[in-house]
Amino acid sequence: MRRLLDHLRRFADRTAVLTDTTRLTYRDLADRVQACAGELGGQRTLVLLEARNDLDALIHYLAALAAGHVVLPAPEGADADSLIATYRPGIVVDRHGVRRGDTGPHALHDDLALLMSTSGSTGSPKLVRLSHANLAANARAIAEYLEIRETDRAATTLPLSYCYGLSVIHSHLLVGAALILTDLSVAEPAFWELFDRRRGTTFAGVPYTFELLDRVGFAEMRLPHLRYVTQAGGRMPPERVRRFAAMGGRRGWDLVVMYGATEATARMAYLPADLAHSHPHAIGRPIPGGSFTIEPLDGWPDDDTGELVYRGPNVMMGYAEQAGDLALGATVDALRTGDVGRRCGPDLYEVIGRTSRFVKMFGLRIDLQRLETGLADDGVRALCTEAGDRLAVVAAGDHDPEDVRRRVAQSTGLPVTAVVAAVVTELPLLPSGKPDYPAARALAAGDDPADDGSGLTDLFADVLHLDPADVRDDATFVDLGGNSLSYVTMSVRLERALGHLPADWPRLPIRDLERRPAPRPRWWRSWGTTVETSVALRALAIVLVVGSHAELYEVWGGAHILLGIAGYNFARFCLTPLPRPERIRHLRTTIGWIALPAVVWVAFALVVTDDYHLSNLLLANKFLGPHDSMTAGRLWFVEVLVWTLVALALLFWLPVVDRLERRAPFAVAAAFLAVGMALRYDVVGLGLGHDAWFTMLAFWFFAVGWAAAKASTALQRVIVTVVLIVGVHGYFGNSVREALVTTGLVLLIWLPTMRCPAVVAVAAGAIAEASLYTYLTHFQVYPLFGSHKLYGVVASVVIGIALSAVVTQVRARMRDRRLSPRDPAQAPALR
């Protein structure tokens, strides 16, 4: 007893526990624990504790440990009859108080401190035996890699009966940090009021917690003291890891993904926050003091792949299945996780499968075989398998899928929304007669089992002109060098391949794109397809530009919408989480694929027309003149765009600017927008004139698009919208033009995608992809048709599309020649 109490008293007047109405110092906590330990008595026994997230349960837990008892936490409100019948606890502590058991003293091993259940409500009385050394080692390791400080305050978002929730208690009390004790859910406004009022710095979550955070608008919350968020309790989809990591980067907190098991006292691995962008699929590196080995498995011929085996001082003593097992010493020295793993980087590991039919979801470990058996006993023949972060169930016979979902949710303890179900005439089987679980997974998700999404790597390679061997399934469009010039083609072809364009697809790994979501309702699918708003606007804007120049109609403003879209795409495809050299390389490539075609076309036009001057060849007419030519200003849009990108490439080449943008992406974009607005209004009195829309000062439209792409909250989007409306008002001196530009860019800010007939989507994609070539060439094309202005406009668009197709084919041939050397033996050296 003295050792634990001395540890608590060592932190004296530091805050130990906070509730909605109470504050305890470490000295107060030690006094209460000591008094409670005296009430429990000194004869060592097993204490079954109803583990609520309140002060009374915490004090009884610590008091039982301090008095030398062995603690068995049970979930609040759980039916503990089977545990009591099997283990015969000497003391039971629940909401009714403390009561003594009717059994004599247990034979308890001296090292035994804690018994934890390994499963949810489908589990049995099988328990994990943990020692005092296990608890101390794991708490020290967690405190070390999370760098927990005495000033940290952790909210109890997970139950004390769950090893993850209990590890938060252990690790924070170890270093003298504080706990915010609450049983409120993160879905409740009262939780966030308490968290903010008590200056919470951290909280823990399982994958389902992060779904709830999306629903309650977590991204828009002001939490000034939040320092980091941890995630464990099952695999979280990589795209969600990336998104929350990026959100944390913008808001000033870190996301730490972790991997563990009750058998390891809680934690085995962690993914440092700075690796969440580049390795969102990984479980991370071993915790301090622990190590992994990968042991060969039948059916996995790859030497680098096998069962993940963990060793460390936090590995359990062993299992208990009856009261007599509580007297046993350590029976294991390594933990066979049952996960199929492989290395995915220096000292980094990922899990790619399971050796058994257990899955861990929403903090519960579920025995799928036991679940199938239980359903069969209830008259439901079914196959159960994991489908990403959902449990997929396919039942045979005359059943209501919703009824199947509710039964499975009730049996497992999962929320109903975490279960997907389908009913079929016969269960899918392999030719061998064994269950076909991949087919079951596809059926439950509503997919065609024969269509596994394969071919996306080839699709990415084709669009981006890469060697298919260099396109890994964990790479994203952005990782592979995708930019604003290729994303139009990619989005159209991807939507055609998947039937639906996922949100934020440029940042999703290919393998996650292949795991397509369930199809939209039939009424939705029957009307058209999804197209990105930026693609539709790009197509519309270039048609407006060409038609206005050809005097078919007079609807100006398309070029300024294009400039805003250019800023939007710059933020999406150049300011990515990739390392600084990769960012600059992508930006350099983007500049090249805009400037090179422009220079080539101007050179051609110089030979066959009198439209341009040598200054146009340098894309510098606005700098060098002549300014009195009727045709010199035709390429102003390209000049603004190229030199803006060149200037930004030089700025972001500087490490300090690069770091600042990563730390506060929206703030940096807003700062550049402020500079653009200052120039637009000539705030500093440079006397640059008021014809800004036809000069380099049009940069502020680019900055609006940039800020729109980096805006992550409704408030930020409102700010960008207000600046846009204020800036456009009076800018052109033409209300129709101002309304058009404002409407187009407001759609870009607020509406990522839209639905339209499939034929319109295909046409928009082709026109948008060719917008640069159409812009460059239309000045020389439409005059050829004289008074037939409509023909001239159509011809300009068609020729732009044709030139785009030719350039694409040339790039493809260049790639093929690069990847097909005459001497095959040279191939490895050329890759």
Side-chain angles (χ1 to χ4, degrees):
M1 180 189 300
R2 182 57 53 191
R3 188 173 181 182
L4 176 56
L5 294 175
D6 286 347
H7 173 80
L8 295 176
R9 289 199 169 98
R10 182 162 65 91
F11 298 108
D13 294 325
R14 292 203 60 81
T15 300
V17 181
L18 296 158
T19 69
D20 187 28
T21 58
T22 305
R23 173 185 176 272
L24 292 184
T25 65
Y26 270 87
R27 182 179 289 110
D28 297 333
L29 179 62
D31 290 343
R32 293 202 186 190
V33 168
Q34 183 174 10
C36 184
E39 295 173 5
L40 294 177
Q43 187 174 31
R44 192 165 188 250
T45 189
L46 176 63
V47 177
L48 190 147
L49 171 69
E50 185 181 50
R52 304 178 307 277
N53 283 8
D54 62 21
L55 192 56
D56 186 65
L58 175 65
I59 290 173
H60 275 90
Y61 171 70
L62 295 175
L65 291 180
H69 300 305
V70 176
V71 186
L72 170 52
E76 180 181 3
D79 183 359
D81 288 348
S82 63
L83 291 174
I84 293 174
T86 302
Y87 292 101
R88 305 188 308 277
I91 298 175
V92 175
V93 182
D94 58 21
R95 67 186 62 204
H96 304 296
V98 178
R99 66 179 188 270
R100 305 287 168 174
D102 56 2
T103 61
H106 281 78
L108 303 172
H109 193 278
D110 290 344
D111 294 337
L112 185 62
L114 186 65
L115 297 170
M116 298 292 291
S117 174
T118 64
S119 61
S121 55
T122 60
S124 67
K126 184 177 181 179
L127 302 176
V128 169
R129 296 182 291 119
L130 299 173
S131 68
H132 295 281
N134 292 153
L135 302 184
N138 205 60
R140 282 194 299 269
I142 293 171
E144 178 181 340
Y145 71 72
L146 289 180
E147 299 179 359
I148 300 176
R149 307 167 182 168
E150 289 186 348
T151 54
D152 278 324
R153 295 182 172 186
T156 56
T157 47
L158 300 168
L160 272 65
S161 58
Y162 174 31
C163 69
Y164 186 10
L166 203 53
S167 72
V168 174
I169 304 293
H170 294 160
S171 56
H172 283 75
L173 293 182
L174 177 71
V175 300
L179 300 170
I180 303 174
L181 274 182
T182 177
D183 60 358
L184 293 169
S185 165
V186 297
E188 300 178 67
F191 172 86
W192 297 108
E193 188 278 329
L194 173 65
F195 189 81
D196 185 48
R197 176 161 52 88
R198 291 304 196 181
R199 300 189 175 189
T201 64
T202 181
F203 65 90
V206 296
Y208 184 58
T209 306
F210 290 81
E211 289 191 18
L212 293 177
L213 293 179
D214 279 334
R215 297 177 193 174
V216 299
F218 175 68
E220 301 173 21
M221 292 183 184
R222 182 182 177 275
L223 301 169
H225 306 289
L226 182 60
R227 196 167 72 84
Y228 67 92
V229 178
T230 62
Q231 183 271 315
R235 178 182 182 272
M236 191 157 77
E239 68 272 16
R240 189 170 292 152
V241 173
R242 285 179 183 265
R243 183 159 55 80
F244 272 91
M247 184 192 303
R250 294 190 298 270
R251 306 293 295 231
W253 49 265
D254 289 331
L255 173 69
V256 182
V257 176
M258 307 186 298
Y259 167 78
T262 308
E263 290 87 343
T265 316
R267 299 277 72 81
M268 291 183 282
Y270 72 101
L271 183 67
D274 60 351
L275 298 181
H277 285 291
S278 57
H279 294 80
H281 55 285
I283 61 171
R285 58 181 54 141
I287 66 171
S291 65
F292 285 118
T293 57
I294 295 177
E295 300 193 1
L297 281 172
D298 292 338
W300 296 85
D302 188 346
D303 292 339
D304 294 330
T305 301
E307 183 176 11
L308 204 58
V309 178
Y310 175 80
R311 292 174 174 81
N314 53 315
V315 172
M316 65 176 177
M317 299 173 68
Y319 291 111
E321 297 189 70
Q322 57 185 349
D325 294 337
L326 305 186
L328 298 176
T331 58
V332 297
D333 59 3
L335 178 59
R336 305 189 72 88
T337 65
D339 287 325
V340 180
R342 66 185 176 194
R343 291 180 180 83
C344 60
D347 205 28
L348 289 180
Y349 295 82
E350 64 175 329
V351 170
I352 60 174
R354 289 286 298 169
T355 63
S356 67
R357 300 213 58 230
F358 283 90
V359 296
K360 193 171 186 180
M361 303 178 68
F362 300 86
L364 302 174
R365 195 165 81 164
I366 299 164
D367 184 339
L368 297 179
Q369 189 61 52
R370 188 185 183 99
L371 177 59
E372 289 180 0
T373 302
L375 289 172
D377 291 341
D378 289 338
V380 180
R381 291 191 305 114
L383 298 182
C384 304
T385 185
E386 185 182 19
D389 57 348
R390 296 291 187 273
L391 184 62
V393 181
V394 174
D398 187 17
H399 300 287
D400 181 357
E402 288 303 312
D403 180 60
V404 173
R405 291 179 69 206
R406 284 191 293 271
R407 286 194 192 194
V408 170
Q410 185 176 5
S411 297
T412 59
L414 293 171
V416 175
T417 55
V419 182
V420 290
V423 174
V424 296
T425 304
E426 292 293 336
L427 296 178
L429 301 175
L430 296 169
S432 62
K434 294 181 179 180
D436 188 347
Y437 286 106
R441 183 181 300 115
L443 286 168
D447 292 338
D448 178 1
D451 183 4
D452 62 0
S454 62
L456 286 191
T457 53
D458 290 340
L459 176 60
F460 273 70
D462 184 46
V463 172
L464 298 175
H465 307 289
L466 299 172
D467 181 355
D470 293 334
V471 181
R472 303 184 317 170
D473 66 353
D474 61 347
T476 69
F477 176 77
V478 172
D479 295 338
L480 295 171
N483 55 34
S484 59
L485 302 176
S486 52
Y487 98 97
V488 176
T489 304
M490 191 73 248
S491 65
V492 172
R493 292 186 61 179
L494 191 62
E495 204 280 341
R496 194 180 307 154
L498 300 181
H500 170 64
L501 197 62
D504 200 25
W505 67 264
R507 296 175 185 264
L508 297 183
I510 295 173
R511 64 183 174 195
D512 293 324
L513 288 170
E514 289 178 344
R515 298 168 183 159
R516 293 171 292 166
R520 298 282 188 174
R522 183 171 298 175
W523 65 266
W524 177 272
R525 286 179 280 152
S526 65
W527 192 80
T529 187
T530 303
V531 64
E532 287 203 11
T533 301
S534 61
V535 173
L537 286 175
R538 195 159 146 184
L540 176 63
I542 192 61
V543 171
L544 292 179
V545 167
V546 174
S548 297
H549 285 158
E551 299 181 354
L552 176 64
Y553 42 73
E554 190 172 321
V555 184
W556 301 102
H560 295 83
I561 294 176
L562 287 174
L563 199 55
I565 294 171
Y568 185 77
N569 290 330
F570 163 76
R572 295 169 75 196
F573 305 123
C574 295
L575 300 184
T576 66
L578 294 174
R580 183 170 59 92
E582 288 296 305
R583 274 186 166 190
I584 301 303
R585 183 177 66 81
H586 286 184
L587 189 49
R588 187 175 64 240
T589 301
T590 299
I591 293 170
W593 280 105
I594 297 172
L596 184 60
V599 170
V600 170
W601 183 255
V602 170
F604 170 76
L606 279 172
V607 174
V608 300
T609 73
D610 295 327
D611 290 347
Y612 298 128
H613 301 269
L614 290 177
S615 60
N616 294 114
L617 194 63
L618 300 175
L619 302 181
N621 173 259
K622 288 300 172 185
F623 300 114
L624 304 177
H627 302 290
D628 56 354
S629 168
M630 292 297 295
T631 58
R634 286 180 172 180
L635 299 181
W636 74 268
F637 167 78
V638 176
E639 290 188 13
V640 169
L641 182 55
V642 168
W643 290 110
T644 294
L645 293 176
V646 168
L648 290 172
L650 294 175
L651 274 174
F652 283 100
W653 177 78
L654 300 173
V656 63
V657 179
D658 179 80
R659 285 195 300 270
L660 182 61
E661 195 282 332
R662 292 176 192 273
R663 190 174 298 117
F666 178 75
V668 169
F672 275 93
L673 178 55
V675 171
M677 292 296 288
L679 291 173
R680 179 253 187 274
Y681 286 105
D682 197 15
V683 172
V684 294
L686 297 177
L688 296 175
H690 297 288
D691 295 335
W693 64 89
F694 205 63
T695 71
M696 293 297 292
L697 299 185
F699 162 76
W700 80 272
F701 287 97
F702 181 96
V704 165
W706 177 359
K710 293 301 183 182
S712 60
T713 68
L715 177 60
Q716 291 172 349
R717 294 187 184 93
V718 167
I719 292 172
V720 178
T721 304
V722 170
V723 172
L724 168 67
I725 293 172
V726 171
V728 172
H729 179 69
Y731 186 76
F732 299 106
N734 181 309
S735 59
V736 174
R737 189 174 187 178
E738 291 170 2
L740 175 69
V741 174
T742 301
T743 301
L745 295 181
V746 166
L747 287 174
L748 188 70
I749 295 169
W750 290 97
L751 188 66
T753 61
M754 58 179 64
R755 298 291 291 182
C756 64
V759 64
V760 174
V762 172
I767 294 170
E769 182 183 4
S771 57
L772 173 64
Y773 301 99
T774 302
Y775 187 91
L776 291 173
T777 61
H778 79 282
F779 294 109
Q780 284 73 47
V781 174
Y782 71 77
L784 300 176
F785 293 83
S787 61
H788 301 287
K789 296 176 181 178
L790 177 60
Y791 295 155
V793 171
V794 172
S796 297
V797 173
V798 169
I799 288 175
I801 293 173
L803 278 176
S804 176
V806 169
V807 171
T808 299
Q809 287 299 317
V810 170
R811 292 186 66 190
R813 289 178 180 273
M814 290 171 60
R815 179 198 64 180
D816 293 341
R817 291 184 63 182
R818 185 177 72 251
L819 300 177
S820 303
R822 293 181 181 179
D823 181 2
Q826 294 178 0
L830 292 174
R831 287 183 178 173

